[in-house]
Amino acid sequence: MTVPAVMPARVLFSLRLAAFRAERGLSERGPGDEMGLGNRVGSVRINRYERQERFPALDDLDLLADTLNIPVAALLALDDSTARAICALARLTDAEREEAAKRLEELAGRSAASDIG
């Protein structure tokens, strides 16, 4: 799912949360349970996040990302490919991430140059 670059963080978060939760086959209750919120509270909390009625505190955002086994940044990614890239980068070693960053910068530089010419 691609979203406009001007999408508010709250909207990006709700879209990504729902996508990652569904990808893992979890109900709204699942992540809340794993966060230690209990059945009812966990389900209501995740539902409110996905409906953009609430946004988690930073500590809860960390806990939610850990529960989904993803980096926090993936929950705010602008599109699916960026979210997948963030998750893939997180699985690399420090040296591999550095190499990947250099390659991405080179690719972005070539892409920007092709836009001009």
Side-chain angles (χ1 to χ4, degrees):
M1 163 189 326
T2 302
V3 295
V6 294
M7 186 75 61
R10 184 179 302 272
V11 175
L12 288 172
F13 169 76
S14 69
L15 292 170
R16 293 285 151 244
L17 173 57
F20 280 116
R21 183 181 56 73
E23 181 181 293
R24 284 157 179 74
L26 296 172
S27 68
E28 289 175 345
R29 182 175 294 160
D33 279 347
E34 291 184 37
M35 291 172 65
L37 300 174
N39 287 341
R40 186 176 180 324
V41 172
S43 178
V44 169
R45 178 88 46 95
I46 300 302
N47 179 275
R48 287 180 178 165
Y49 291 161
E50 290 184 8
R51 290 191 344 230
Q52 302 167 36
E53 293 175 3
R54 275 189 77 152
F55 192 76
L58 290 177
D59 289 341
D60 289 340
L61 188 60
D62 282 337
L63 184 56
L64 182 57
D66 285 346
T67 298
L68 294 170
N69 198 30
I70 58 172
V72 170
L75 287 169
L76 298 173
L78 295 176
D79 54 50
D80 288 341
S81 57
T82 303
R84 287 193 322 270
I86 290 167
C87 290
L89 285 168
R91 292 189 299 267
L92 300 176
T93 66
D94 289 344
E96 290 169 332
R97 264 195 308 280
E98 183 61 33
E99 180 62 28
K102 288 177 185 175
R103 289 183 184 179
L104 286 170
E105 289 167 346
E106 290 170 5
L107 180 60
R110 285 196 307 267
S111 178
S114 68
D115 289 345
I116 295 170

